[in-house]
Amino acid sequence: VDNVNNPPILNEYCRGNNIRFLALKMADMKSLYDDTLLLGRLLDRTDQAKMLCAQIFNDLLQVRSRTAGKKRRRVFLSMSRTPGNLTGLSTVGPGTCLNELIEFAGGVNVFNDLSQPYSQISKETLLKRRPEIIIEPQITPTISENKRQQLI
């Protein structure tokens, strides 16, 4: 459907195999909502897409209300790094959905002043930014609610 800014090999593969291709931006919260609604229309699931967007919005408002008035903590979100050490670090900057989620949750992204949405950083730069919380998404076994509350 949309092949702007996508790898040519993927576009060629889809075109050659008669596969509809849709590139979704999903860069920030607005585009996440817009793309969810577009996908819902394309899949003939408009009502479900609207309900999902409403649920996400309501959940975010609840998180924001729970953190209102509390000290905003300095957060570093590690998108990637070299396993076993602090090299090859990358993070998110302004204009990203993840940066907005940090803010909704009452945090301040220590790299919200970057000129790009995603950037490589050095460990020295990270240390200078002095994060209070480091988030590193991983695929790991689910932790119990009790353990999660202890970490918070």
Side-chain angles (χ1 to χ4, degrees):
V1 175
D2 180 2
N3 62 9
V4 178
N5 296 324
N6 290 296
I9 193 164
L10 180 58
N11 291 328
E12 291 170 21
Y13 175 82
C14 290
R15 205 175 14 254
N17 290 283
N18 199 29
I19 298 172
R20 291 181 66 193
F21 182 78
L22 174 64
L24 300 175
K25 184 177 179 184
M26 293 193 177
D28 55 21
M29 292 305 294
K30 181 179 180 341
S31 63
L32 174 70
Y33 290 126
D34 292 345
D35 289 347
T36 300
L37 295 173
L38 172 62
L39 191 56
R41 282 194 306 275
L42 291 172
L43 297 173
D44 196 26
R45 299 288 188 272
T46 302
D47 290 342
Q48 290 91 335
K50 287 179 182 178
M51 288 173 36
L52 176 61
C53 287
Q55 183 64 52
I56 291 169
F57 183 73
N58 288 332
D59 288 349
L60 289 173
L61 287 179
Q62 285 181 12
V63 169
R64 179 175 272 173
S65 72
R66 287 177 57 196
T67 61
K70 294 183 179 180
K71 177 186 175 210
R72 295 177 59 83
R73 307 287 292 274
R74 298 175 50 77
V75 177
F76 167 63
L77 177 60
S78 172
M79 293 302 295
S80 66
R81 68 178 171 84
T82 305
N85 62 51
L86 292 177
T87 60
L89 288 165
S90 68
T91 192
V92 298
T96 63
C97 183
L98 294 170
N99 186 66
E100 290 180 59
L101 289 175
I102 290 169
E103 291 174 359
F104 258 100
V108 176
N109 180 358
V110 295
F111 288 101
N112 65 1
D113 62 341
L114 296 175
S115 61
Q116 300 175 47
Y118 300 92
S119 296
Q120 297 283 1
I121 59 159
S122 69
K123 65 182 172 188
E124 292 80 14
T125 302
L126 173 60
L127 291 172
K128 287 179 187 174
R129 300 291 178 114
R130 303 181 52 83
E132 298 171 84
I133 298 172
I134 296 176
I135 301 171
E136 185 173 63
Q138 297 179 353
I139 299 173
T140 58
T142 305
I143 62 171
S144 70
E145 179 62 20
N146 186 33
K147 180 67 173 174
R148 189 178 73 78
Q149 288 298 323
Q150 288 174 2
L151 294 171
I152 295 175

